[in-house]
Amino acid sequence: MHIIEQASIKDLTTLRIGGRADKLFFPSTPEELISLLVELQDRGIKWSMLGGGSNLLVSSQGVGGAVISTSEMDWVNRVSPDAVVVGAGARLPKLAGQLAHMGLSGCEFMEGIPGSIGGAVVMNAGAHGHWTSNILEKVTLIDTHKGQVLSLTASQFDFGYRSSNIDPNRHVIVEAKFRLSDGMPDQIMDKMKQYRRQRTVSQPKGFSSGCIFRNPSMASPAGRLIDEMGFKGDKLGGAEISNIHANFILNSQGATSDQIIHLISRIQLKAWNTKNIWLQPEVYGMGNFTDEEKVIWLHPGIRDKELVNMSKYQLFGQVS
Ligand SMILES: Cc1cc2nc3c(=O)[nH]c(=O)nc-3n(C[C@H](O)[C@H](O)[C@H](O)COP(=O)(O)OP(=O)(O)OC[C@H]3O[C@@H](n4cnc5c(N)ncnc54)[C@H](O)[C@@H]3O)c2cc1C
């Protein structure tokens, strides 16, 4: 297995932010992944899973312990005329293209989502009215608390809007099985092109993690709220709230994680104080954040109570 010591993580994220990890591992088979996790657990070494790094804010102060990249676990096996089993590290746009060539329809919405299957299952990635959970049949995952490899059906997960009950601190996705339908390759690719065009006009270019907040409701998208509160174009150091889509924070010039966190915090505070809306980050955190920084993942109702003992509360989407 390929291993890098003192690895810089920032280039493995779409936001291009993040310090070093003690060790970065690249398992390429389920067996390698399982024995790696067993070894890390036995030695008491903290680990974090890294997929496409497209929904991650990695601390500029680094990541203590091991980071496990799934980038070499990218197999795509057709197991029946309309079903494929895909490794956790397969990239969504590439997968959508491969399936289009096979005449399999259902993954077109993945075009333009720069994540991996593991990350897409964890947060039930979706676009254009389609969700990962709609086509998901089974997931093979490692429950590191139980020390078991489990094969679970999609109905066993509590999928919601950008959410599931998969805990990336505990569950490691190995592969997923998708049920698709027959389609004409040309028509599938036309659909993908249409989705790509829609993104080109609605989303900014540059380094980002996509939408930084979940939409508080479909009727009031986070981007519109942030725009109404006058944040578009605001900057802090190298971080900038996009002028094109206010729910995107861009790393336009060597931004650091604390600058992104400050902008997130400012937006959250104003939304809470003026609209009584809590904007929950969509982005997950990884690495050495301070308790003050971690509060962005904590509901203000809990945050405001005396001194927060972080370990007592579930942090929404926070990893470390
Ligand atoms: C330009 C842009 C556009 C985007 N558009 C969309 C969109 O339209 N719809 C949408 O839903 N999202 C969108 N995203 C966000 C992102 O691409 C998706 O959330 C994607 O599913 C994240 O997958 P990832 O592999 O990059 O996850 P990562 O960012 O690598 O990780 C996210 C979380 O999942 C965990 N994780 C990753 N792999 C595994 C695994 N194998 N097992 C267990 N845990 C794992 C990580 O530890 C982390 O907690 C966009 C992002 C960008 C940058």
Side-chain angles (χ1 to χ4, degrees):
M1 176 174 21
H2 179 197
I3 304 170
I4 303 177
E5 309 261 351
Q6 288 304 311
S8 169
I9 302 298
K10 83 173 179 194
D11 290 336
L12 303 177
T13 71
T14 53
L15 199 48
R16 296 291 193 279
I17 291 178
R20 291 182 184 275
D22 296 339
K23 275 192 181 179
L24 174 62
F25 294 88
F26 295 88
S28 57
T29 63
E31 294 72 27
E32 277 185 0
L33 176 62
I34 292 166
S35 57
L36 171 63
L37 285 165
V38 168
E39 191 188 332
L40 294 171
Q41 300 263 109
D42 284 352
R43 293 172 57 198
I45 298 172
K46 203 167 137 280
W47 51 267
S48 311
M49 293 305 296
L50 175 69
S54 63
N55 197 28
L56 263 188
L57 175 61
V58 180
S59 170
S60 297
Q61 301 308 313
V63 185
V67 172
I68 305 172
S69 165
T70 56
S71 64
E72 294 184 9
M73 297 177 49
D74 60 351
W75 54 88
V76 180
N77 296 322
R78 192 168 189 169
V79 291
S80 74
D82 64 349
V84 286
V85 171
V86 183
R91 293 306 184 97
L92 306 185
K94 185 174 171 199
L95 174 67
Q98 284 170 300
L99 296 175
H101 285 292
M102 292 180 195
L104 289 174
S105 170
C107 284
E108 294 88 321
F109 74 92
M110 292 181 175
E111 169 65 35
I113 306 182
S116 69
I117 285 298
V121 172
V122 167
M123 59 98 63
N124 193 17
H128 315 287
H130 301 274
W131 304 95
T132 303
S133 54
N134 296 154
I135 46 167
L136 187 67
E137 189 170 287
K138 268 188 178 172
V139 177
T140 303
L141 61 75
I142 303 162
D143 183 335
T144 58
H145 286 192
K146 291 187 180 161
Q148 288 175 346
V149 180
L150 304 171
S151 174
L152 302 172
T153 57
S155 60
Q156 291 173 275
F157 297 96
D158 193 10
F159 286 117
Y161 160 65
R162 301 283 198 270
S163 70
S164 74
N165 53 355
I166 300 167
D167 174 359
N169 285 319
R170 167 176 176 174
H171 304 118
V172 174
I173 295 168
V174 179
E175 62 183 17
K177 182 176 181 186
F178 294 100
R179 182 71 56 189
L180 302 156
S181 49
D182 280 343
M184 299 298 291
D186 286 352
Q187 285 173 8
I188 298 171
M189 279 187 280
D190 281 349
K191 192 89 205 159
M192 288 166 57
K193 268 188 216 148
Q194 183 196 324
Y195 288 156
R196 205 177 310 146
R197 274 197 299 272
Q198 285 177 19
R199 276 183 192 270
T200 314
V201 290
S202 63
Q203 293 184 354
K205 291 194 171 53
F207 300 137
S208 79
S209 59
C211 288
I212 207 89
F213 297 106
R214 291 173 160 91
N215 290 321
S217 75
M218 289 306 163
S220 63
R224 194 199 304 154
L225 281 174
I226 301 166
D227 190 3
E228 283 167 8
M229 291 188 293
F231 282 109
K232 257 188 177 173
D234 274 14
K235 290 182 185 168
L236 183 66
E240 181 180 352
I241 299 168
S242 166
N243 268 314
I244 295 172
H245 189 319
N247 200 13
F248 276 59
I249 297 185
L250 301 169
N251 171 10
S252 42
Q253 222 178 8
T256 52
S257 58
D258 60 303
Q259 291 166 352
I260 302 280
I261 284 181
H262 269 91
L263 286 180
I264 291 177
S265 209
R266 268 188 213 167
I267 295 169
Q268 282 180 322
L269 212 65
K270 189 155 181 186
W272 185 247
N273 290 337
T274 62
K275 295 177 184 280
N276 204 26
I277 292 174
W278 182 52
L279 287 172
Q280 183 182 341
E282 182 172 311
V283 70
Y284 284 67
M286 180 191 285
N288 305 326
F289 292 107
T290 63
D291 280 359
E292 286 77 23
E293 290 178 326
K294 284 181 190 168
V295 295
I296 63 159
W297 285 282
L298 204 60
H299 190 284
I302 298 169
R303 196 189 290 187
D304 292 348
K305 277 186 200 149
E306 44 182 293
L307 272 179
V308 173
N309 173 0
M310 302 302 293
S311 57
K312 254 173 38 189
Y313 298 104
Q314 189 208 344
L315 295 176
F316 298 86
Q318 163 70 10
V319 174
S320 63

